[in-house]
Amino acid sequence: MQNSGPTELREAPGAEDIRSQLRRIITSSEFPSFSRGAAFLSYIVEETLAGRANRLKGFSIALEVFRRDEHFTQEDPVVRIEAGRLRRALERYYFVAGQTDPIRIDIPKGGYVPTFKWSAPPPSATQEDDVVAIPVRGIPQTSPWRAIRTLVIAGLTVVGVSGVAAVSWFLTGSATVSTGPKAMPDEPSLVIAPFANLGEGPEAGLYTVGLTEELLTTLPRFKEIKVFGRETSKSLTPDVDVVQVRGQLGARYLLAGGVRVAGDRMRVSARLVDTSDGAILWSQNYDNDLRSIDFFNIQSDVANRVAAAVAQPYGIIAQADAARPPPDNRGAYECTLAFYTYRTELTSESHALVRNCLEAAVARYPGYATALAMLSMIYLDEDKYKFNRTPGEPTPTERALQTARRAVQMEPANTRALQALMVALFFAHQPVEAIDVGERALATNPNDTELMGEFGTRLAIAGQWQRGAALLDQAIALNPGGGGFYRGNRALAAYMLGDNAEAIIGIRQSDMQKFPLFHAVAAIIYAEAGLTADARREGETFVNMRPDFLPNIVAEMSSRGMSPADLARLIAGLRKAGLTVPDAVESVSAASNGSVVTPR
């Protein structure tokens, strides 16, 4: 049965249509056969069609579907857990196999009564919520979700690698945004238990309360995770059982710990626990001297370090989620994991796959600001790296700009949206506004190394090499396990600041072999150090990967905001490495700036 028109002009789906859709779902290979999922869905659909929706309570479902006896109580979380799994399974089904199905079956949170509606019009049509939908382009659809999972898991070995903070992105424009509520995809959820008081004296209790409060302020700044609020945290005990957290709250992760004070010494211990099996994914101790540092600075520093380790895009939660097996597929959220994997390698193949995934996610969740911000960055890469460029108007950079503004309009405090807008403004030749947005983003979340590395890179290339280098150093310190692009751009900054020893260390630690500009920077640094053979090898690799770059180097680097004087120095370094740069580029660069430029 075909979808013949806007959903609001059609009668509600009939019982047989709904039953046909039910059979289509539960017989699909993309609908996981976990536990009693098919029986659960069939039961609540049939009860609703029979007019008995008011009977769909946890007790009746436990008896009829999960075969509990009459002694079942709410202490048994089976129905809540399986309902959560069923919601995720339906999200996955419609995201992968059911995109063109005529009827959508959902189970709104807060109850067990399903809803039935004709599927929304395709993304090219007008959306009911007045949000301008982004069309999904034609990428081969043979099992796209398996391909995305492969991309995510393959990238786990490098997911700790800094994320491609050095790569610039560009976005900006405005769109009409609905102010009504919007469905959002499931993202990893974290609850913070009150930290335990393990210390001595009356002040120890204040320390634990203060640290817990600081964590409740710091962690929610990372928009890729959901953090339960203060009231939920206060309702728990420091030794709360993971079964309670998973069963009653549905939280995937628990952050717990304790504070021990002995004399002038304080030790804070923190651990991240997977509530599905109680496994400790990460733990750390932080020792401080109360004589040299006041407690408020201690709690702020510890909270920042915990947040950076646990919640940043390349942190413990992201790594754990990327490694999870397919049965708990999270649909749209997993697109964000694929995005960060793409950022560690920057290949045309992964770009196409992630763009397709994010466009589908945004069509499904128009209010998902984080996905919009990522999509903006992906659009920019069409121009910046010539990846899968879509011809016609608007240009990729214009689309990126529009999408970034839309993301910020939806969530003004979303760090990833502000990052996308900041980069877009740099590439739109609006550096003053770009820096203002970057400063606001950094104030919003000073622990986000993805933002920190990106902002540092943009400032450096725009001429603020010293401050850019400092931000890159900070990003590397907070994310020492990775740093490919952080270190590559830090190496370039070291070269421009005249510290070639540091530049050589940085470029060797970067080692981004698949990314063309890495080889250009390496060639310049090796040439300056007198490593002629290495410089020529890297230069030849760069030209083979991007033969179009050097003839257009003025446009390429001007779009990134590089000054004519810095560009002249870059050109001199490329020539020293044995590369051929057209003679006219300096005069073109000078003319664009109205001044004479000489290499320094």
Side-chain angles (χ1 to χ4, degrees):
M1 185 170 183
Q2 297 299 312
N3 189 340
S4 60
T7 55
E8 64 268 22
L9 300 181
R10 308 181 67 185
E11 295 182 359
E16 287 310 308
D17 293 318
I18 293 170
R19 289 189 175 99
S20 294
Q21 180 62 34
L22 174 64
R23 287 193 294 272
R24 188 177 294 112
I25 293 172
I26 63 179
T27 58
S28 170
S29 61
E30 298 294 349
F31 186 76
S33 55
F34 64 82
S35 186
R36 296 177 181 268
F40 192 168
L41 183 60
S42 299
Y43 175 74
I44 61 177
V45 167
E46 290 297 340
E47 287 295 286
T48 302
L49 293 178
R52 295 189 290 271
N54 62 326
R55 291 190 61 239
L56 292 177
K57 308 295 183 184
F59 183 79
S60 61
I61 294 171
L63 268 60
E64 298 293 333
V65 178
F66 299 105
R67 304 306 180 193
R68 297 298 198 264
D69 59 27
E70 64 276 8
H71 300 296
F72 171 82
T73 70
Q74 296 301 320
E75 296 299 317
D76 185 339
V78 61
V79 178
R80 292 190 297 277
I81 291 174
E82 295 300 325
R85 290 180 177 175
L86 181 55
R87 289 186 184 99
R88 292 193 292 274
L90 287 170
E91 177 189 329
R92 167 183 159 72
Y93 170 79
Y94 281 107
F95 192 71
V96 178
Q99 293 185 21
T100 60
D101 284 7
I103 293 173
R104 185 171 185 91
I105 300 177
D106 285 306
I107 310 170
K109 290 184 178 180
Y112 306 111
V113 179
T115 60
F116 317 110
K117 63 180 180 182
W118 297 111
S119 292
S124 58
T126 302
Q127 300 294 300
E128 290 182 348
D129 58 4
D130 294 327
V131 176
V132 180
I134 298 173
V136 179
R137 294 187 179 78
I139 303 286
Q141 292 297 309
T142 32
S143 195
W145 202 250
R146 290 189 180 92
I148 291 170
R149 282 216 64 89
T150 301
L151 173 65
V152 173
I153 295 172
L156 181 59
T157 57
V158 290
V159 82
V161 185
S162 95
V164 178
V167 192
S168 351
W169 302 326
F170 1 11
L171 353 147
T172 288
S174 59
T176 302
V177 180
S178 168
T179 57
K182 297 201 172 24
M184 295 298 285
D186 284 340
E187 295 169 313
S189 50
L190 170 72
V191 65
I192 303 169
F195 270 48
N197 176 7
L198 307 175
E200 304 170 352
E203 290 185 339
L206 296 176
Y207 293 160
T208 60
V209 172
L211 179 60
T212 305
E213 180 67 21
E214 190 73 20
L215 287 165
L216 285 164
T217 300
T218 303
L219 281 160
R221 293 172 177 170
F222 291 90
K223 300 304 180 181
E224 289 87 348
I225 64 172
K226 296 177 182 177
V227 180
F228 283 77
R230 286 172 172 78
E231 293 306 315
T232 300
S233 178
K234 290 178 180 177
S235 70
L236 304 176
T237 60
D239 59 349
V240 61
D241 192 285
V242 294
V243 174
Q244 177 188 346
V245 172
R246 183 72 174 187
Q248 296 183 8
L249 301 177
R252 196 176 303 159
Y253 299 103
L254 168 68
L255 180 66
V259 179
R260 182 181 302 279
V261 178
D264 294 322
R265 301 295 301 171
M266 171 191 285
R267 165 168 285 191
V268 176
S269 59
R271 63 186 179 277
L272 183 72
V273 181
D274 186 332
T275 62
S276 65
D277 56 10
I280 297 176
L281 302 176
W282 168 88
S283 64
Q284 187 68 49
N285 292 328
Y286 302 93
D287 293 310
N288 294 277
D289 188 340
L290 292 171
R291 294 172 298 181
S292 57
I293 312 174
D294 68 75
F295 171 69
F296 296 105
N297 285 331
I298 290 175
Q299 71 180 22
S300 177
D301 177 63
V302 170
N304 289 342
R305 286 193 277 170
V306 170
V310 168
Q312 67 163 301
Y314 304 93
I316 303 301
I317 288 178
Q319 294 180 43
D321 274 12
R324 284 176 181 269
D328 264 345
N329 196 306
R330 267 124 10 237
Y333 166 67
E334 197 158 15
C335 288
T336 68
L337 296 178
F339 168 81
Y340 289 120
T341 301
Y342 158 75
R343 295 269 284 167
T344 65
E345 59 183 36
L346 287 183
T347 65
S348 177
E349 294 76 16
S350 58
H351 175 273
L353 189 62
V354 174
R355 183 178 67 184
N356 188 54
C357 183
L358 285 171
E359 285 181 331
V362 168
R364 173 74 178 92
Y365 299 104
Y368 193 11
T370 298
L372 275 169
M374 294 174 173
L375 187 58
S376 166
M377 300 177 195
I378 289 289
Y379 285 156
L380 188 58
D381 287 357
E382 294 179 30
D383 267 347
K384 185 169 32 170
Y385 305 126
K386 309 300 184 286
F387 286 165
N388 309 298
R389 196 178 192 279
T390 304
E393 300 294 334
T395 67
T397 296
E398 290 168 344
R399 277 187 285 118
L401 216 63
Q402 292 166 1
T403 309
R405 287 207 184 277
R406 182 176 159 200
V408 172
Q409 190 175 5
M410 287 178 174
E411 284 191 35
N414 186 302
T415 307
R416 206 61 60 232
L418 291 169
Q419 175 186 342
L421 180 57
M422 177 265 294
V423 182
L425 289 167
F426 269 114
F427 279 82
H429 305 292
Q430 301 177 50
V432 175
E433 185 181 351
I435 291 173
D436 286 345
V437 173
E439 299 287 10
R440 177 153 56 102
L442 200 59
T444 299
N445 190 352
N447 302 301
D448 192 316
T449 60
E450 171 78 359
L451 164 69
M452 198 180 299
E454 183 70 70
F455 192 27
T457 295
R458 299 273 58 83
L459 288 174
I461 292 177
Q464 297 187 35
W465 294 101
Q466 197 68 57
R467 189 184 177 207
L471 282 172
L472 286 163
D473 284 339
Q474 191 176 352
I476 292 169
L478 287 172
N479 188 15
F485 263 93
Y486 301 158
R487 296 179 191 278
N489 283 282
R490 182 61 178 89
L492 177 59
Y495 167 80
M496 297 301 287
L497 292 168
D499 187 352
N500 215 58
E502 182 67 28
I504 290 175
I505 293 172
I507 202 66
R508 285 177 172 168
Q509 290 178 335
S510 175
D511 196 28
M512 295 290 294
Q513 297 295 330
K514 294 182 180 180
F515 184 54
L517 292 181
F518 160 80
H519 298 283
V521 174
I524 293 170
I525 291 171
Y526 290 147
E528 185 69 16
L531 302 173
T532 306
D534 291 331
R536 290 191 179 277
R537 182 191 68 247
E538 296 293 346
E540 290 171 1
T541 302
F542 171 63
V543 171
N544 288 335
M545 295 177 78
R546 282 293 305 271
D548 62 311
F549 193 94
L550 292 180
N552 300 291
I553 191 171
V554 172
E556 290 279 2
M557 298 314 297
S558 294
S559 71
R560 289 162 168 79
M562 179 169 278
S563 72
D566 285 340
L567 175 56
R569 185 174 178 195
L570 203 67
I571 290 169
L574 290 167
R575 286 177 174 158
K576 190 172 183 177
L579 297 176
T580 301
V581 182
D583 292 335
V585 295
E586 286 97 342
S587 60
V588 173
S589 177
S592 68
N593 193 48
S595 61
V596 177
V597 178
T598 56
R600 63 171 195 247

